[in-house]
Amino acid sequence: MKSVKHHRTLSRLALKSLAFLLFFSINLSAQEANVQNGEKLFKANCAACHKLDKKLIGPALEGITEQRDQDWLIAWIKDNNALAASGDKLAKEVQESNPAAMIPYPQFSDQDIIDILEYTKGEPVEKAAVASQEVDPGVALGKELFKAQCAACHKLEGKLIGPELLKITDKREHDWLKAWIKDNNALTASGDKLAKEVTDSNPAAMTPFPNLTDEDIENILKYLAVGDVVEKPAATVSGNDNKIFENPKTGVLPVLGLTLLAFVLLSLIVAATTKKSVVEGDEQEESVLKSLLFNPFLRFLVVIFLLLLSAYLLFSWLMQIDVNEGYQPIQPIAFSHAVHAGDNKIDCQYCHSSAKHSKTSGIPSANVCMNCHKSITEYNGELFGDYTKEDLDKEIQKIYDAVGWDKEKFEYIEGYEQQTIEWVRIHNLADFAYYNHSQHVTVAGLDCQKCHGPVEEMHDMYQFSPLTMGWCIDCHRDTEVDFNGTEYYKNIHEELTKKYGEENIKNLTAAEMGGLECGKCHY
């Protein structure tokens, strides 16, 4: 019996040892840092107050793991106030030396903090390569159909008006889904029990889609089965992407060089023709250099040249005042014109609706944004700049914070005090210059890009054109007036036709129609 008990004891010890080793190995694997996740968490939560290489609101964090113990850092990040309240001397010193209070992050796991600390070591982060996948071409077609037909009421993940649809093919039979999408009302009326349950559980009636073919529905179901499987790497911005339009004009230096060369040639000609002098009745030849230095006419030319050069340089410098070509301020929300006007083809005048009938183009209210963003609660497009998907989702949340929208309940918060989004103005004409958007957009029929550049390619909006008087005048001289189909020019067109004939007024420019008169823009 003793030997049996002995062996049982050994067995228990062996099992405990194995369990301990297993737990220890799991714990060790959990402590392995994921620097990619750390970078993502740092940018989403810490970058507002900290930088790696220099002080922001809080201190620089590069190499912080060499200055502080890891366990202490985990406790500090989770709840710095609790750590200081516990009597920790170092925590009290850090709080006293930094007047800006740090936000606790109790939602972070130990592994999350270890990942962040790994990122603060400052070593280059290797981006994970996107594995190439063999994707059914029907998935891409299904995605397009989903965006066009279903995205107003459904999301892949998360409830919208209707339920989320990712992996719905695992929950419902294929043939049932096809019949439901084609005509859910007919399926319910046929007595289908599941169709009745779904209809009763969702108060918002679903639109039938008899226009979709069986192949279309098959492609949509393929997309719903796998979701967005092909990830796109973050878009890289080359140095040329931020270059503004360069007008090929003659620069100041070539003009000055030519002027100086002409002056030198003139001086040499004058010196060569006046290098003789009379000494006691005899003509004596002087050197060209001496003639250049002592000839009174050349000294007069030098003075005139220096005065003209000074006036030119002063005038050129004064003409640059308040010319803000390329001005690109930081906006309160990372609104991308390339995504809205470019990728999603939203017309400029949908947001800037007053441009066609008013002097100003207007800044759209947040309610205009909410026309779409009631349904679009997250960003699923191609990433741009240094933003992650989480960063861009938070930018959309800023709109909800301004208007008081509850995206979970899909309704406005009752009694919420709405806030103003303070956009930074980019295009700003001087007060003494009059400009009317409707005159150019509605009457002249100009595209917005004529003045504002390729807006549909700009993630961060900037001033594309110089907006100087010379720039406006050049446009008036080059732009021909179209009289046909415009009530604004009706009377002028009739009078000019009587006086000069139809053929002679076909190519009139805005300048020839009075576009150079001072009173048009200054009165």
Side-chain angles (χ1 to χ4, degrees):
M1 294 293 292
K2 287 184 179 180
S3 63
V4 173
K5 287 182 179 179
H6 180 66
H7 285 297
R8 283 180 178 173
T9 305
L10 287 175
S11 299
R12 291 193 189 98
L13 287 172
L15 287 171
K16 289 180 178 178
S17 300
L18 286 171
F20 173 75
L21 288 172
L22 180 61
F23 172 78
F24 185 70
S25 64
I26 292 172
N27 190 49
L28 280 177
S29 65
Q31 298 298 313
E32 291 180 3
N34 184 339
V35 70
Q36 286 90 3
N37 185 50
E39 179 186 26
K40 178 180 172 183
L41 291 170
F42 182 91
K43 288 182 176 179
N45 297 279
C46 315
C49 299
H50 295 277
K51 283 188 167 184
L52 290 184
D53 55 346
K54 59 184 178 182
K55 187 179 185 299
L56 196 57
I57 297 173
L61 294 183
E62 187 171 6
I64 192 67
T65 52
E66 298 174 5
Q67 305 169 27
R68 302 281 187 266
D69 180 71
Q70 179 174 288
D71 292 335
W72 185 89
L73 286 169
I74 292 173
W76 171 262
I77 294 172
K78 281 212 171 187
D79 196 340
N80 62 93
N81 296 323
L83 186 61
S86 69
D88 187 275
K89 187 177 179 182
L90 179 57
K92 288 183 178 180
E93 289 177 0
V94 174
Q95 280 194 341
E96 290 171 359
S97 62
N98 290 280
M102 177 174 161
I103 302 170
Y105 291 94
Q107 72 273 23
F108 282 173
S109 65
D110 290 357
Q111 185 62 50
D112 289 336
I113 298 174
I114 290 170
D115 293 344
I116 293 172
L117 295 176
E118 184 69 20
Y119 174 68
T120 62
K121 292 180 181 178
E123 297 175 0
V125 180
E126 294 182 4
K127 302 295 182 184
V130 179
S132 59
Q133 302 178 21
E134 193 72 27
V135 181
D136 188 328
V139 173
L141 295 173
K143 182 176 181 178
E144 293 302 317
L145 287 167
F146 179 86
K147 286 184 175 180
Q149 307 287 341
C150 316
C153 298
H154 295 276
K155 295 199 300 185
L156 283 182
E157 294 182 271
K159 187 179 185 300
L160 196 56
I161 297 172
E164 66 176 49
L165 295 182
L166 185 63
K167 306 292 184 185
I168 192 67
T169 50
D170 296 340
K171 305 172 185 176
R172 301 281 186 265
E173 291 182 4
H174 206 79
D175 292 337
W176 185 91
L177 286 169
K178 289 173 69 174
W180 172 263
I181 295 171
K182 273 268 186 184
D183 194 341
N184 61 94
N185 295 324
L187 186 61
T188 305
S190 70
D192 186 274
K193 186 178 179 182
L194 180 56
K196 287 184 177 181
E197 290 177 0
V198 174
T199 302
D200 293 341
S201 62
N202 290 280
M206 177 174 160
T207 306
F209 291 96
N211 56 307
L212 295 177
T213 64
D214 289 345
E215 185 181 359
D216 290 337
I217 298 175
E218 284 286 351
N219 290 333
I220 292 173
L221 294 177
K222 286 177 182 178
Y223 172 62
L224 298 179
V226 296
D228 296 311
V229 293
V230 181
E231 295 183 17
K232 292 184 179 179
T236 56
V237 180
S238 67
N240 294 328
D241 289 341
N242 292 325
K243 283 188 176 180
I244 59 176
F245 178 77
E246 295 178 359
N247 195 7
K249 293 181 179 178
T250 306
V252 175
L253 292 179
V255 171
L256 288 178
L258 291 173
T259 305
L260 185 61
L261 179 62
F263 176 75
V264 171
L265 289 174
L266 178 63
S267 300
L268 290 173
I269 291 170
V270 172
T273 56
T274 59
K275 64 180 181 179
K276 294 182 180 295
S277 63
V278 179
V279 179
E280 295 179 358
D282 296 328
E283 289 186 353
Q284 182 177 354
E285 188 174 345
E286 293 180 348
S287 67
V288 174
L289 179 61
K290 188 175 181 181
S291 179
L292 284 172
L293 294 174
F294 296 101
N295 189 294
F297 178 69
L298 288 179
R299 287 200 296 268
F300 173 75
L301 282 181
V302 169
V303 172
I304 295 299
F305 175 77
L306 291 176
L307 288 174
L308 291 174
L309 177 62
S310 300
Y312 176 79
L313 293 175
L314 177 63
F315 183 75
S316 299
W317 179 77
L318 290 174
M319 288 299 290
Q320 299 306 308
I321 295 175
D322 206 32
V323 177
N324 300 314
E325 188 176 2
Y327 175 55
Q328 188 177 43
I330 297 173
Q331 299 292 355
I333 297 177
F335 178 90
S336 168
H337 279 79
V339 171
H340 291 78
D343 297 342
N344 294 313
K345 311 296 182 188
I346 298 175
D347 187 85
C348 298
Q349 293 181 39
Y350 178 79
C351 299
H352 302 284
S353 56
S354 60
K356 55 192 172 189
H357 54 72
S358 171
K359 174 186 173 183
T360 62
S361 63
I363 299 174
S365 67
N367 287 328
V368 174
C369 305
M370 289 300 295
N371 288 340
C372 296
H373 281 287
K374 282 182 180 179
S375 302
I376 304 171
T377 59
E378 58 181 329
Y379 182 77
N380 291 314
E382 185 175 349
L383 299 178
F384 57 90
D386 295 327
Y387 295 108
T388 63
K389 180 184 183 306
E390 289 74 14
D391 295 334
L392 295 173
D393 288 346
K394 288 182 178 179
E395 296 301 310
I396 296 175
Q397 182 62 42
K398 289 180 182 178
I399 304 173
Y400 300 155
D401 294 339
V403 301
W405 176 256
D406 189 332
K407 65 180 180 182
E408 301 298 333
K409 296 181 179 179
F410 203 71
E411 62 183 18
Y412 286 101
I413 300 170
E414 189 175 350
Y416 187 87
E417 185 176 349
Q418 294 191 349
Q419 304 165 18
T420 302
I421 300 174
E422 297 183 0
W423 300 101
V424 181
R425 185 168 186 169
I426 299 174
H427 304 86
N428 191 20
L429 287 179
D431 290 342
F432 53 76
Y434 176 82
Y435 179 85
N436 192 308
H437 273 82
S438 63
Q439 173 74 27
H440 293 78
V441 174
T442 303
V443 178
L446 297 181
D447 293 329
C448 303
Q449 287 82 353
K450 179 74 173 178
C451 301
H452 296 292
V455 176
E456 69 281 359
E457 299 174 7
M458 300 179 189
H459 286 298
D460 295 322
M461 185 70 183
Y462 60 87
Q463 182 174 318
F464 178 82
S465 304
L467 304 184
T468 59
M469 186 173 76
W471 176 79
C472 294
I473 287 173
D474 287 342
C475 184
H476 283 187
R477 284 173 174 159
D478 297 336
T479 304
E480 294 181 1
V481 177
D482 183 9
F483 293 101
N484 297 319
T486 306
E487 288 294 322
Y488 185 86
Y489 289 119
K490 183 179 178 182
N491 293 336
I492 298 176
H493 180 247
E494 290 175 355
E495 294 299 322
L496 289 175
T497 303
K498 292 176 184 177
K499 190 172 183 179
Y500 299 107
E502 184 73 32
E503 291 297 321
N504 296 323
I505 63 169
K506 278 187 176 179
N507 299 318
L508 289 179
T509 64
E512 293 169 325
M513 290 289 297
L516 297 187
E517 294 178 11
C518 302
K520 292 285 186 181
C521 304
H522 307 288
Y523 58 88

